Amino acid sequence: MIDLRSDTVTKPSIEMRKAMAEAIVGDDIFGEDPTVIILQEKVASLLGKEAGLFVPSGVMSNQIAIKVSTSPGDEIICEEESHIFNYETSAPAVLSAVQIKTIRGNFGIMKLEQIKDAIRPNVYYMPKSSLICLENTHNRGGGSIYPIEEIARISNFANKNKINFHLDGARLWNASIATNISLAEYAKYFDSVSVCFSKGLGAPIGSMILGKKDFIDKAKKWRKVFGGGMRQVGILAAASLYAVENNFEKLSDDHEKAKIFAKIISNSKKIKIQNEKVETNIILIDITETGKSVEENISILKSSGVLLSVGTKKTMRAVFHLDVNEDETKTAAEIIERIYK
Ligand SMILES: *Cc1c(COP(=O)(O)O)cnc(C)c1O
């Protein structure tokens, strides 16, 4: 079975497991885990942020950012296809008592003008627009990359209007590798940034929320409230550290595999690649012409040895990662090409 459902299916390698086994650990609730401290300092320095906080999941890092940046009754702005709006089980409503105003972007990319239109006037009977969230790369946008110029414009607007600005950078690593724009250059525009080690970097667990020191002090409190305070978690931090040091540069291979795959399946008449640009490691395959549902198509491919996942209503998603090589990529693409010729 060639598993292209997600880059989260990657399993820790032997070398990563060795790094985990050898990690020096301590009680992180007491701030005494040296491996966690090293990871937090390293990633904060990579992103040019004052501090970082290791958390169990990307959902938790996004939700901590929302909690710290808003008050109950506020409104936050997210793109309609964003992870925060679609895949975090209404957590902003549950944990922060805020509502989400969505904007439809182009492959997940919102323009400043759209965001300006969505900002509420400052009157007491309307919700306060207190946070703007972007996602880079954008998952349901097909791994699309946010243009840095647009990020800069939105950041400038948010600053002037005292609106907090958060980046869901679960795959910021991919954006940076694809564009050669440093993580710090991307991150400098945001008050808070969330990154995941458990996607293309190949760690089994782990994300980080980053920002100014006083932001992270508050984040630490909410991590505890949300049940994310951990003890000898250096075992996991060691996997993330290994992932950042060894697998970050390798993401370009995943982008390359996605392009090879796209080229082969573009010969198929019954399907169409929605994000033809193939900017990073995600491909959305439009199945409208097959006359079958996304789920039916996925099950046909599964019986031929290729696992894809649901992208959007009309698309299947293929994601390239460490644990699928170029040969498997070609094989999977040829199977798909044959089925939909
Ligand atoms: C995976 C992902 C997250 C985090 O999700 P978890 O289920 O906590 O791993 C957040 N944002 C985006 C865009 C993601 O792809």
Side-chain angles (χ1 to χ4, degrees), residues 91-140:
V94 178
L95 301 173
S96 298
V98 296
Q99 69 180 11
I100 303 181
K101 166 96 179 167
T102 58
I103 294 176
R104 185 158 191 79
N106 182 26
F107 289 102
I109 310 298
M110 302 178 280
K111 294 262 189 219
L112 171 62
E113 288 66 29
Q114 294 176 288
I115 292 174
K116 273 187 180 166
D117 283 349
I119 300 293
R120 304 282 188 171
N122 186 15
V123 289
Y124 83 90
Y125 47 81
M126 280 185 154
K128 181 178 179 212
S129 307
S130 59
L131 176 68
I132 299 165
C133 302
L134 305 191
E135 187 174 314
N136 192 18
T137 67
H138 197 290
N139 175 15
R140 281 163 67 112

Side-chain angles (χ1 to χ4, degrees), residues 11 43 51 55 95 247 278 317 324 327:
K11 298 195 177 115
V43 179
V55 296
L95 301 173
N247 296 342
V278 188
R317 189 180 75 150
V324 55
D327 283 343

Side-chain angles (χ1 to χ4, degrees), residues 27-32 36-37 40 51-55 60 64-65 67-68 209 212-230:
D27 190 330
D28 185 53
I29 301 271
F30 298 158
E32 286 173 6
V36 171
I37 293 169
Q40 288 174 168
L53 188 70
F54 190 51
V55 296
M60 191 183 285
I64 287 174
K67 187 75 200 178
V68 174
I209 179 76
K212 287 224 161 75
K213 199 179 165 304
D214 64 332
F215 176 94
I216 294 300
D217 288 343
K218 290 177 196 153
K220 195 186 267 182
K221 173 136 190 125
W222 287 110
R223 179 182 68 176
K224 188 70 176 153
V225 174
F226 293 169
M230 299 176 286

Side-chain angles (χ1 to χ4, degrees), residues 167-229:
L167 175 64
D168 177 353
R171 295 189 182 82
L172 185 63
W173 316 99
N174 296 78
S176 173
I177 288 292
T179 57
N180 232 347
I181 295 171
S182 71
L183 295 164
E185 174 64 18
Y186 276 121
K188 77 174 190 195
Y189 294 106
F190 296 89
D191 300 300
S192 56
V193 179
S194 161
V195 294
C196 291
F197 308 109
S198 54
K199 301 276 161 89
L201 293 186
I205 299 171
S207 293
M208 194 174 289
I209 179 76
L210 300 112
K212 287 224 161 75
K213 199 179 165 304
D214 64 332
F215 176 94
I216 294 300
D217 288 343
K218 290 177 196 153
K220 195 186 267 182
K221 173 136 190 125
W222 287 110
R223 179 182 68 176
K224 188 70 176 153
V225 174
F226 293 169

Side-chain angles (χ1 to χ4, degrees), residues 173-297:
W173 316 99
N174 296 78
S176 173
I177 288 292
T179 57
N180 232 347
I181 295 171
S182 71
L183 295 164
E185 174 64 18
Y186 276 121
K188 77 174 190 195
Y189 294 106
F190 296 89
D191 300 300
S192 56
V193 179
S194 161
V195 294
C196 291
F197 308 109
S198 54
K199 301 276 161 89
L201 293 186
I205 299 171
S207 293
M208 194 174 289
I209 179 76
L210 300 112
K212 287 224 161 75
K213 199 179 165 304
D214 64 332
F215 176 94
I216 294 300
D217 288 343
K218 290 177 196 153
K220 195 186 267 182
K221 173 136 190 125
W222 287 110
R223 179 182 68 176
K224 188 70 176 153
V225 174
F226 293 169
M230 299 176 286
R231 301 293 177 175
Q232 284 73 25
V233 68
I235 297 250
L236 295 178
S240 295
L241 202 52
Y242 181 93
V244 172
E245 284 169 356
N246 296 278
N247 296 342
F248 179 25
E249 301 287 330
K250 283 190 196 156
L251 292 173
S252 61
D253 297 347
D254 297 345
H255 302 167
E256 190 54 35
K257 284 176 273 183
K259 288 205 170 70
I260 293 170
F261 179 88
K263 187 147 190 282
I264 299 174
I265 70 162
S266 64
N267 298 320
S268 322
K269 297 216 175 54
K270 289 200 200 116
I271 51 170
K272 194 174 166 304
I273 298 174
Q274 195 172 70
N275 54 323
E276 280 170 329
K277 280 186 358 203
V278 188
E279 293 175 81
T280 54
N281 68 328
I282 301 177
I283 293 180
L284 297 175
I285 305 168
D286 189 317
I287 49 79
T288 315
E289 297 285 300
T290 67
K292 298 189 179 73
S293 70
V294 172
E295 288 77 11
E296 283 166 329
N297 278 290

